[in-house]
Amino acid sequence: MMIDAHQHFWDPARACYPWMNGPELAPIRRPFGPADLAPLLEANGIDASIVVQCRSSVAETEEFLGVAHATPSVIGVVGWADLTDAALGATLDRLRTLPGGAKLVGIRHQVHDEADPDWLLRANVQRGLAALFARDLAYDFLVRTRELPAAIATAKAFPQARFVLDHSAKPPIADGGSADWADRVAALAACGNVWCKVSGLATEAKWSDWDAERLFPFVRHVANCFGEDRLIFGSDWPVCLLAGSYGEIKIALETCLAKLGASVREKAFGVNAKAAYRLAG
């Protein structure tokens, strides 16, 4: 099974997405749903996908579970719930009773938008993570270089938990890279309980001037750090459309992964996502 482990649905006419402001994001400021994604998956040989939260809303998580229930190709939902809420456990339990609730595989929060780089280390957040892991759910790190030290400390605090690093921690590709990013990603990978999504890289490059060759050094670095068993492909559709089509993104990342070996490519496109998110099948 070929899996796209990171895609989104949204409708700006029905909900507010604070991160979607700005004229440069106008091309994606429109509805995107399962009917838009289905032909892209078919055309690119992708069998299934995981839909990931876009805003801090339990209502969105409920909606995504409903979409997953009605859409066989959506095999997992990484939703949002308030990690600081003392009643988080009850919320998670309720979500799992909804249609599609069995497809809730993880939770994510936009940590890189928090003013505090150590937000993950707050006592109430750590309490929430404990509730999450008690229910055998994964946690997606949405962080940049600034927040990686807190992510490293968090991964160490929960050695039996499963974490997934989104977008390879958004390396500053357009600026030529960063030694801090490279060193901190390596330290996070050393924890052993973190998988890394090779996703969102083209949009960290110059949108109108990138190719697989320019992405490859960053893909090679995370591959060296995480190994072939902890790399996961994600398209980051429709955000990726800012830089290229679904097919262009998929081919570029596939090219990068294939350079590292056939088994690296094969595992990143399915096997590793199943392990990270405990997917059935």
Side-chain angles (χ1 to χ4, degrees), residues 170-195:
K170 297 192 172 185
I173 298 174
D175 296 328
S178 158
D180 283 343
W181 169 81
D183 292 344
R184 292 173 186 179
V185 162
L188 181 62
C191 295
N193 58 342
V194 186
W195 284 257

Side-chain angles (χ1 to χ4, degrees), residues 47-93:
D47 302 300
S49 72
I50 296 172
V51 62
V52 179
Q53 65 89 216
C54 310
R55 58 194 180 96
S56 299
S57 166
V58 172
E60 181 191 65
T61 303
E62 294 169 351
E63 179 182 347
F64 284 173
L65 292 174
V67 168
H69 180 66
T71 311
S73 64
V74 177
I75 58 173
V77 174
V78 175
W80 182 90
D82 186 357
L83 292 175
T84 70
D85 183 3
L88 173 64
T91 298
L92 296 173
D93 293 340

Side-chain angles (χ1 to χ4, degrees), residues 196-213:
C196 178
K197 283 182 184 173
V198 182
S199 60
L201 298 183
T203 45
E204 296 304 316
K206 295 178 180 178
W207 296 349
S208 61
D209 186 21
W210 67 273
D211 55 23
E213 184 177 353

Side-chain angles (χ1 to χ4, degrees), residues 139 141 151-152 154-156 159 161-166 185 187-197 225-226 229-232 276:
Y139 182 73
F141 284 129
I152 295 163
T154 299
K156 289 179 178 179
R162 289 172 290 117
F163 295 91
V164 181
L165 178 64
D166 287 355
V185 162
L188 181 62
C191 295
N193 58 342
V194 186
W195 284 257
C196 178
K197 283 182 184 173
C225 293
F226 287 90
D229 293 323
R230 290 189 287 148
L231 294 181
I232 298 172

Side-chain angles (χ1 to χ4, degrees), residues 2-240:
M2 295 274 282
I3 299 172
D4 177 351
H6 198 104
Q7 52 87 190
H8 305 285
F9 298 131
W10 61 63
D11 185 351
R14 295 179 53 240
C16 177
Y17 302 86
W19 59 270
M20 209 182 288
N21 296 325
E24 72 280 4
L25 298 180
I28 61 171
R29 199 177 299 119
R30 64 177 181 83
F32 290 93
D36 301 295
L37 180 61
L40 301 176
L41 297 182
E42 182 176 2
N44 288 279
I46 302 294
D47 302 300
S49 72
I50 296 172
V51 62
V52 179
Q53 65 89 216
C54 310
R55 58 194 180 96
S56 299
S57 166
V58 172
E60 181 191 65
T61 303
E62 294 169 351
E63 179 182 347
F64 284 173
L65 292 174
V67 168
H69 180 66
T71 311
S73 64
V74 177
I75 58 173
V77 174
V78 175
W80 182 90
D82 186 357
L83 292 175
T84 70
D85 183 3
L88 173 64
T91 298
L92 296 173
D93 293 340
R94 180 184 64 80
L95 288 171
R96 283 178 146 176
T97 69
L98 300 176
K103 291 185 176 182
L104 182 67
V105 296
I107 294 294
R108 185 178 86 153
H109 180 75
Q110 283 100 327
V111 174
H112 63 30
D113 291 336
E114 294 288 343
D116 179 7
D118 290 328
W119 184 86
L120 281 165
L121 301 180
R122 293 183 179 185
N124 55 0
V125 175
Q126 295 274 302
R127 179 193 63 203
L129 289 170
L132 186 72
F133 300 138
R135 288 157 178 81
D136 200 29
L137 294 168
Y139 182 73
D140 272 34
F141 284 129
L142 182 56
V143 297
R144 295 184 187 272
T145 302
R146 184 193 72 146
E147 299 85 26
L148 276 170
I152 295 163
T154 299
K156 289 179 178 179
F158 297 96
Q160 303 306 314
R162 289 172 290 117
F163 295 91
V164 181
L165 178 64
D166 287 355
H167 311 322
S168 304
K170 297 192 172 185
I173 298 174
D175 296 328
S178 158
D180 283 343
W181 169 81
D183 292 344
R184 292 173 186 179
V185 162
L188 181 62
C191 295
N193 58 342
V194 186
W195 284 257
C196 178
K197 283 182 184 173
V198 182
S199 60
L201 298 183
T203 45
E204 296 304 316
K206 295 178 180 178
W207 296 349
S208 61
D209 186 21
W210 67 273
D211 55 23
E213 184 177 353
R214 299 187 198 191
L215 301 184
F216 182 66
F218 301 91
V219 175
R220 179 177 56 201
H221 179 69
V222 295
N224 288 340
C225 293
F226 287 90
E228 67 178 42
D229 293 323
R230 290 189 287 148
L231 294 181
I232 298 172
F233 164 75
S235 68
D236 199 27
W237 178 91
V239 179
C240 70

